[in-house]
Amino acid sequence: MPGASAAPDRTTQPRPVYVIGAGPGGLAAAAALRARGVRTVVVERSESVGASWRRHYDRLHLHTTRRLSALPGLAMPRRFGRWVARDDVVRYLEKYAEFHELELVTGVEVTRIERADDGNGWTLHATGGRALAASAVVVATGFNHTPALPDWPGRDAFGGRLLHAADYRNPGPYAGQDVLVVGTGNTGAEIAVDLTEGHTPRTAPTARTASSSDGATDGGAAGVTGGAARVRLAVRTVPHLVRRSTAGWPAQRTGILVRRLPVRLVDRLGALVARVSVPDLSAYGLPRPTTGLYSRVEEGAIPVQDVGLIDAVRTGRVEPVAAVVSFDGDAVVLADGSRVTPDVVIAATGYRRALEGLVGHLGVLDGRGRPRAHGARTSPRAPGLYFTGFANPISGTFREMALDAVKIAKAVSRTLPPPA
């Protein structure tokens, strides 16, 4: 790892650097710091590393390639394949912590970070009444920290089952049921496809106009040999669909190449590529977006990589419908005025960073609760306080966390006093 050979030994420093969170971002930062001779302690509220990855749905794979997703100092094994499965990601994170001999404390949650009384470093308040003295802090609690469930009117009286996508694992419990998935990000799209495994339409699908109510009301249930009987996908904002790989070229590499280009230029290029590589699904209720791909990215919405959604929509296994407005007893009211009565509603409606209690009092968050400074940059109000893993770039989250880790380690090592 860069900087390891000439790193001064600060492993006995009285105030270590604390990393909060043992996910990929936190482990990468800790390994990069350790490679520079900086004593680093990783504090994790769960009992193991990679807690959020362990909770994800079973079929999840990285949407970025194995080679471009490795963290600093340890390659991902070739046996994991090009698109690494969830369980292999967890195995990799476990091996990563072991390989780098990281100092890891589990079962302890840091609840608040404050400036140290002497003005040097930080005090971390943690469960059990602990007060931890840190020379610097890296917050890596994760992009997917706390499930966000919209406060839809009438949701508490819904007669069916309502759950967040964080609680979805596989299609088994939903066999033969009518399921409405809410949200067309990567998670919602992939869960919708997953639910159709074993679902065989009773009749051949036909295209419909976007204004048609067909598919947005009950009736015409499909035959089932497994999976859900019917799957609808509620669409509030039409997503940009991209192929995960085209002729062996992964979408991630394109994201890396265009990331620094002007937004309008990338928008135009994205529209051209979409017309060539992605079929027009307007007749099936999923029209092309009216806003640019990279303009959306700048707003925090990354494209949806196709892992079967296009085919599922075209074959009628997944039916796009209007956005959810409210609940009315057993019915779900949609934005176009139609009503559906699913057995289950799965809300793939995102997560909150939930940083307010931890650092909200320090003035380092923006109006949406996101860190104002990220990676090796720190807020002038909180020097020595770093954040990683709170962005969702088209160039790949693992890749960017790996780059951030090395930059953070360099920045931290420059601010620490020389070893005695």
Side-chain angles (χ1 to χ4, degrees), residues 113-115 122 358-365 379 381-382 385:
I113 301 173
E114 294 181 336
R115 262 296 181 193
W122 301 90
L358 187 68
V359 297
H361 56 287
L362 298 174
V364 295
L365 304 179
S379 169
R381 300 180 179 183
L385 179 62

Side-chain angles (χ1 to χ4, degrees), residues 141-169:
T141 49
F143 192 85
N144 296 336
H145 186 275
T146 302
L149 190 65
D151 189 19
W152 288 300
R155 78 173 195 190
D156 293 337
F158 177 53
R161 182 184 176 195
L162 171 63
L163 67 148
H164 191 274
D167 297 316
Y168 176 86
R169 294 295 175 270

Side-chain angles (χ1 to χ4, degrees), residues 44-348:
E44 167 59 44
R45 66 173 179 169
S46 73
E47 297 300 328
S48 56
V49 303
S52 64
W53 273 91
R54 296 174 191 272
R55 295 192 300 267
H56 286 314
Y57 49 94
D58 295 347
R59 74 172 283 160
L60 178 64
H61 286 65
L62 284 176
H63 290 167
T64 54
T65 66
R66 169 179 50 81
R67 288 188 176 182
L68 294 175
S69 301
L71 302 178
L74 184 66
M76 287 188 172
R78 293 186 63 182
R79 68 177 183 276
F80 286 177
R82 194 181 197 195
W83 312 105
V84 183
R86 180 204 65 181
D87 289 350
D88 285 332
V89 171
V90 173
R91 293 186 185 99
Y92 174 71
L93 296 178
E94 291 174 339
K95 181 63 177 179
Y96 192 84
E98 177 187 348
F99 179 81
H100 288 293
E101 300 178 338
L102 301 182
E103 190 173 345
L104 181 65
V105 178
T106 60
V108 174
E109 181 178 8
V110 177
T111 57
R112 187 176 177 88
I113 301 173
E114 294 181 336
R115 262 296 181 193
D117 291 340
D118 62 5
N120 296 315
W122 301 90
T123 298
L124 281 59
H125 298 279
T127 51
R130 297 174 178 87
L132 310 173
S135 57
V137 180
V138 180
V139 179
T141 49
F143 192 85
N144 296 336
H145 186 275
T146 302
L149 190 65
D151 189 19
W152 288 300
R155 78 173 195 190
D156 293 337
F158 177 53
R161 182 184 176 195
L162 171 63
L163 67 148
H164 191 274
D167 297 316
Y168 176 86
R169 294 295 175 270
N170 57 63
Y174 312 96
Q177 298 188 41
D178 185 327
V179 183
L180 172 66
V181 179
V182 184
T184 49
N186 279 292
T187 296
E190 191 158 355
I191 287 177
V193 172
D194 195 39
L195 283 162
T196 69
E197 296 297 325
H199 168 172
T200 304
R202 185 172 293 165
T203 57
T206 57
R208 65 181 178 86
T209 62
S211 61
S212 170
S213 62
D214 180 32
T217 58
D218 292 299
V224 178
T225 58
R230 189 172 194 176
V231 180
R232 299 182 183 89
L233 181 61
V235 181
R236 184 182 65 176
T237 304
V238 178
H240 283 273
L241 298 176
V242 298
R243 300 290 188 181
R244 185 167 66 174
S245 180
T246 304
W249 179 266
Q252 180 188 8
R253 287 199 177 276
T254 301
I256 293 170
L257 290 175
V258 305
R259 193 177 180 196
R260 305 301 179 188
L261 294 179
V263 172
R264 290 185 179 179
L265 175 60
V266 179
D267 282 348
R268 290 197 293 269
L269 292 174
L272 291 173
V273 170
R275 292 191 178 278
V276 172
S277 61
V278 178
D280 186 356
L281 300 175
S282 299
Y284 302 92
L286 199 63
R288 294 190 185 278
T290 56
T291 55
L293 183 151
Y294 207 27
S295 294
R296 288 270 192 88
V297 171
E298 292 289 285
E299 297 171 357
I302 64 171
V304 172
Q305 292 199 12
D306 177 44
V307 291
L309 181 65
I310 292 174
D311 182 65
V313 170
R314 294 178 77 177
T315 58
R317 292 180 294 123
V318 172
E319 306 168 49
V321 297
V324 171
V325 173
S326 62
F327 289 75
D328 184 10
D330 292 342
V332 180
V333 182
L334 304 180
D336 61 2
S338 60
R339 299 160 71 92
V340 297
T341 55
D343 301 308
V344 182
V345 175
I346 300 175

